[in-house]
Amino acid sequence: MAITIILPKYFSATSAGNAVRVCKKILDAEEDITLDASNLVYADPLGITLLGAALHDAFSWNLRVRISGLGEDVGGYLQRMDVFHGVDFVKCEPVKKRRRNRGDSLVELTRVDEVSDVDETAHRLAVAIVGRFPGIDPDEPPDEMSGYTVFDRLVEPIQYSLCELLENALTHARRGSHGSAFVWVAGQYYRSSKIVRLGVTDNGCGFLASLKGHPELRRKRHLDAILTALKPRVSCNRDLGIHDDSVNQGVGLTTVMRIAKHTGGRAVILSGNALHDTDGRSGSTPAGSIWQGVAVALEFRRDQLARTNFRELLPLVEGIPRIPLRFE
Amino acid sequence: MRTQLPLTSYAKGHLAGTRAAAAPLRLRAEEILSSGGDVVLNFRGVEATQSFIDELIGYLILSQGPSVLERIVFRHCSENLRAIIEYVAADRCDQYLKRPTHH
């Protein structure tokens, strides 16, 4: 026996609630799954990471997953993004587009298991994305004053954002009974709109569990937990612990959201049954659709990436005396 | 005595990113500080995330107090990096000084 799950027309940040609803069906499945992709026309990196995480869960229960009705264009794209690894194709023949060489193809769905892999993954992914920008030469001579190339300046905010999100996901998400949580990441540069989109999804404890007991979280609801996590200087472990292990400043996620906004882009955050969009669309996901973990979609406008100015992005430190520092 | 610690080996490309990558550098800095020396963090060719800088110096401020900054030199910092270091230092010094137990 198999259950059939119909994929929506759009599997993306703009219809994240629908994507989560379908993923919840995959996660709840107790028998083999047939994904009906007849309606599917578009998926973005957030949708790809959500689907990748949900399929990983199904495979971990030894369920067989088939997909039917996949159109040639979206099928070829999703296959190149490595979304359907282990999935059987039925009544669909995705075109096997020629794979690019590995160094240029790491926008594909990638699962990150260990914090020690984060720096390397973030760098490779950022370089792969910027490497697709037309007219940018990674080998041009660096600026004499700064020592950096334009390529370096474009890579930095993407790599910065990925580092913060991936390390957060692999530390905060693994609290409680979620020690084996993973994180999935995918990205793409859209040439026509000159926009970079990233998706980072984990299947960990989610913001509500992570911030449980935090005095800033006044209502124990997923949306309140997302909004609380976005407040500067709010973290579940801002002070040194009993064992003096690592601490958090509660600024990383906030800064990443501000980088996206600063470039003229936006961010969408999903956790539990709540969704927050920096464009102002916040609220609950459709009834019954819950994401166990955190999923983040980021959008950057290419033209603004190299102008990232951290003095404008970091939270204000009003009322705090300036600390004399020894710069040379 | 001043001991210089180059950051390049802690970066991927030009960015030093994760707390996990900063922790070994912080341990090395702690060794130098505990032996009475000053630390020179040489950022030539390296940018860093706020998390990396916080793991490096925010942790030291919380564990040893703001005076530890008198023994740390930040060399060859870009404008962005300088803004991040100033933010982390101000925020963690404020947090340390507001602790009920720091006296």
Side-chain angles (χ1 to χ4, degrees):
Chain A
M1 287 291 290
I3 60 164
T4 297
I5 298 172
I6 298 173
L7 298 182
K9 189 173 182 180
Y10 301 106
F11 218 85
S12 63
T14 50
S15 55
N18 283 335
V20 170
R21 181 174 50 78
V22 169
C23 288
K24 183 71 167 59
K25 288 182 182 177
I26 296 172
L27 294 168
D28 289 345
E30 294 180 350
E31 51 197 312
D32 292 344
I33 299 166
T34 298
L35 298 173
D36 180 346
S38 310
N39 298 325
L40 182 66
V41 295
Y42 174 75
D44 74 357
L46 181 75
I48 286 168
T49 55
L50 284 166
L51 192 55
L55 291 174
H56 167 84
D57 185 82
F59 291 135
S60 73
W61 292 102
N62 293 320
L63 299 182
R64 189 174 174 193
V65 182
R66 300 179 188 86
I67 188 160
S68 68
L70 194 59
E72 187 176 307
D73 287 344
V74 70
Y77 168 70
L78 290 175
Q79 197 174 46
R80 189 166 60 80
M81 294 293 274
D82 272 354
V83 182
F84 295 130
H85 185 74
V87 174
D88 298 325
F89 291 85
V90 181
K91 296 177 187 171
C92 50
E93 292 294 332
V95 173
K96 284 234 178 199
K97 290 190 177 176
R98 186 173 61 85
R99 294 175 71 89
R100 293 160 190 257
N101 70 55
R102 195 70 187 160
D104 192 32
S105 65
L106 280 173
V107 291
E108 294 167 338
L109 179 65
T110 302
R111 195 182 85 188
V112 187
D113 298 358
E114 303 295 338
V115 172
S116 57
D117 296 333
V118 166
D119 284 287
E120 179 70 29
T121 303
H123 179 241
R124 280 191 299 174
L125 190 53
V127 166
I129 289 171
V130 176
R132 293 181 174 189
F133 292 1
I136 299 296
D137 177 10
D139 300 319
E140 72 173 0
D143 175 74
E144 286 186 10
M145 285 290 286
S146 68
Y148 297 122
T149 63
V150 173
F151 184 85
D152 297 330
R153 289 292 182 206
L154 292 165
V155 164
E156 187 192 335
I158 298 173
Q159 185 181 350
Y160 187 111
S161 302
L162 286 170
C163 273
E164 295 282 22
L165 291 179
L166 292 172
E167 191 174 34
N168 268 355
L170 287 169
T171 50
H172 297 319
R174 288 182 165 173
R175 290 170 183 274
S177 60
H178 296 272
S180 59
F182 297 120
V183 55
W184 285 261
V185 58
Q188 187 169 357
Y189 173 58
Y190 295 79
R191 284 183 180 226
S192 57
S193 52
K194 296 182 180 175
I195 286 174
V196 173
R197 292 197 175 101
L198 302 175
V200 179
T201 293
D202 72 64
N203 58 358
C205 66
F207 283 129
L208 187 56
S210 181
L211 291 171
K212 184 181 175 186
H214 196 287
E216 287 283 330
L217 182 63
R218 296 194 173 85
R219 286 189 295 183
K220 312 300 181 200
R221 301 189 317 172
H222 288 290
L223 182 57
D224 292 86
I226 293 174
L227 298 175
T228 301
L230 289 173
K231 289 182 183 174
R233 306 168 92 191
V234 170
S235 171
C236 54
N237 64 336
R238 202 174 128 77
D239 210 342
L240 292 178
I242 298 168
H243 305 294
D244 276 6
D245 55 357
S246 185
V247 290
N248 282 92
Q249 204 173 9
V251 179
L253 182 65
T254 317
T255 305
V256 170
M257 300 298 115
R258 289 179 177 180
I259 292 173
K261 288 285 282 181
H262 187 71
T263 70
R266 65 178 191 143
V268 176
I269 304 177
L270 279 161
S271 187
N273 67 350
L275 178 149
H276 173 68
D277 186 330
T278 54
D279 276 358
R281 181 175 56 112
S282 296
S284 298
T285 53
S289 56
I290 291 174
W291 182 257
Q292 178 57 59
V294 174
V296 178
L298 292 179
E299 188 176 289
F300 307 98
R301 292 200 173 273
R302 176 219 152 137
D303 297 344
Q304 303 294 322
L305 265 176
R307 296 178 194 159
T308 307
N309 181 338
F310 282 86
R311 203 172 288 282
E312 293 174 10
L313 297 177
L314 290 164
L316 295 172
V317 284
E318 287 172 330
I320 300 177
R322 197 177 175 88
I323 306 297
L325 294 165
R326 298 168 68 187
F327 288 105
E328 289 182 353
Chain B
M1 183 175 160
R2 288 159 53 129
T3 303
Q4 184 161 249
L5 300 176
L7 273 284
T8 44
S9 59
Y10 298 88
K12 289 289 177 192
H14 289 287
L15 186 73
T18 59
R19 288 179 179 276
L25 177 62
R26 191 236 306 150
L27 291 173
R28 179 77 187 104
E30 283 179 314
E31 285 174 9
I32 296 163
L33 293 167
S34 67
S35 65
D38 285 5
V39 174
V40 180
L41 298 170
N42 187 341
F43 287 93
R44 182 185 291 278
V46 174
E47 302 293 325
T49 66
Q50 164 268 323
S51 290
F52 185 96
I53 295 299
D54 187 50
E55 186 69 29
L56 181 56
I57 65 162
Y59 187 103
L60 291 173
I61 294 167
L62 290 182
S63 59
Q64 300 187 26
S67 62
V68 74
L69 293 170
E70 295 166 12
R71 298 168 58 204
I72 301 175
V73 175
F74 302 95
R75 184 172 284 173
H76 297 306
C77 297
S78 69
E79 275 305 302
N80 272 342
L81 185 55
R82 192 173 170 131
I84 290 170
I85 292 169
E86 287 173 348
Y87 172 77
V88 169
D91 181 49
R92 289 307 197 181
C93 286
D94 180 61
Q95 184 183 357
Y96 180 88
L97 294 170
K98 284 178 177 167
R99 274 180 180 166
T101 54
H102 92 271
H103 301 292

